[in-house]
Amino acid sequence: MSIKYVHKPETIQEAVELLYQYKGKGKIIAGGTDLVIEIKNRKTNFEALIDVSSIKEMSFIRIENGIVEIGGATTFTEIAKSKLLSSRLAGLKEAAHSIGSPQIRNKGTIGGNICNGSPAADTVPPLLALDAVAVVKSKHEEREVLVEELLLDKGKVALRDDELLVSVKFKNPSHKEILSFSKLGLRKALAISRICTSVFIEFDEEKICKEIRIANGSLGRFGMRERETEQFFKDKVLNEEVIEEGVNFMQQQVAKRLAGRSTVEFKSAAVKGVLRNALNNAINFNG
Ligand SMILES: Cc1cc2nc3c(=O)[nH]c(=O)nc-3n(C[C@H](O)[C@H](O)[C@H](O)COP(=O)(O)OP(=O)(O)OC[C@H]3O[C@@H](n4cnc5c(N)ncnc54)[C@H](O)[C@@H]3O)c2cc1C
């Protein structure tokens, strides 16, 4: 099917009306950094593009009542450069800054990063570690769903054809909490292999890790939380010895998950360094 129509709605309501009207044959485009490649490769089965990049109510970063909300069409550059997002959210800002090139960061959006469903989407692990929720809208309904629950499989997210990801929301970290990020390799190295890890930690006064959420990208069919490794670190002081034991634990988890794949040896070894970095970035945070 070839693309016959391109729409540029100015409001969310107009966009969801269009999605409804096309009954599965309308496709959202935001920055186009993934979709245009798909279209060039002729992997399309829709007749209309609905361009949400000019919808102002989808491009914002705000904090209200301790909740951070980022519009789905907010670009990586806006996130990376945001002065509103505190340095305690370094993990999200660094993830956005690590993406592609300046051109890609100027165009690519956080909504597109999630909805494209790539296992290597860099903003997904920080959002998982933040326990972020996505606000999703269709013509007749608005719902909130954990970003984690949106990720079904490689390239597959739990959004209906008529649904738009309007924003993502999460709790603003307190002075005891920190989100960090670490990434191995550049996109050019994607064919070889690439891993990114984000860690959210809440320390108590004794520097004990009261709460920890760890999420990885490129270590499965979609970005995922590492709950067994989280349990390993919880209620411990993260000294060098504990970190070493923990990264070895993670290595075994990854080796089990990727068993039989050609990348298992490289990835299970490499994840140790990436997790160690993310943990040290959180521990050594000086905000
Ligand atoms: C050279 C290059 C380098 C890159 N490097 C990286 C990298 O280092 N890390 C990384 O993570 N990614 C990278 N990417 C991938 C890409 O930039 C991201 O996935 C980007 O976030 C996609 O956002 P977009 O706005 O361009 O989405 P689009 O391409 O416009 O859309 C992608 C998909 O999401 C859907 N979609 C978009 N927005 C919404 C919404 N609000 N609601 C519902 N559905 C929506 C579209 O229908 C489409 O299916 C790179 C891409 C290129 C070309």
Side-chain angles (χ1 to χ4, degrees), residues 274-285:
V274 185
L275 176 59
R276 194 185 291 116
N277 267 346
L279 289 167
N280 284 327
N281 289 346
I283 292 163
N284 299 328
F285 171 74

Side-chain angles (χ1 to χ4, degrees), residues 34-159:
D34 283 322
L35 191 60
V36 169
I37 295 170
E38 245 182 77
I39 294 170
K40 277 194 180 151
N41 293 338
R42 295 179 199 282
K43 285 198 235 153
T44 56
N45 61 348
F46 40 85
E47 63 180 35
L49 284 178
I50 301 162
D51 179 353
V52 295
S53 62
S54 302
I55 300 183
K56 289 200 177 64
E57 38 175 351
M58 275 182 68
S59 177
F60 65 88
I61 299 175
R62 65 174 162 248
I63 304 179
E64 270 170 21
N65 303 322
I67 301 294
V68 181
E69 186 167 11
I70 303 178
T74 307
T75 66
F76 300 124
T77 300
E78 287 164 329
I79 294 168
K81 293 196 171 160
S82 166
K83 294 212 164 40
L84 196 61
L85 297 176
S86 86
S87 51
R88 295 200 164 269
L89 287 167
L92 181 61
K93 295 171 91 168
E94 283 170 23
H97 184 69
S98 79
I99 289 176
S101 58
Q103 294 93 323
I104 297 294
R105 292 195 288 278
N106 286 342
K107 282 295 203 183
T109 65
I110 192 163
N113 207 216
I114 299 166
C115 296
N116 195 51
S118 162
D122 281 312
T123 61
V124 166
L127 290 172
L128 294 179
L130 286 162
D131 242 350
V133 160
V135 179
V136 173
K137 210 169 157 36
S138 61
K139 183 176 175 186
H140 298 295
E141 195 194 351
E142 179 171 317
R143 65 186 175 109
E144 293 193 0
V145 55
L146 281 170
V147 170
E148 186 175 17
E149 287 173 12
L150 280 183
L151 310 173
L152 294 183
D153 203 347
K154 191 173 178 175
K156 197 158 186 270
V157 292
L159 284 183

Side-chain angles (χ1 to χ4, degrees), residues 140 174 226:
H140 298 295
S174 73
E226 303 290 350

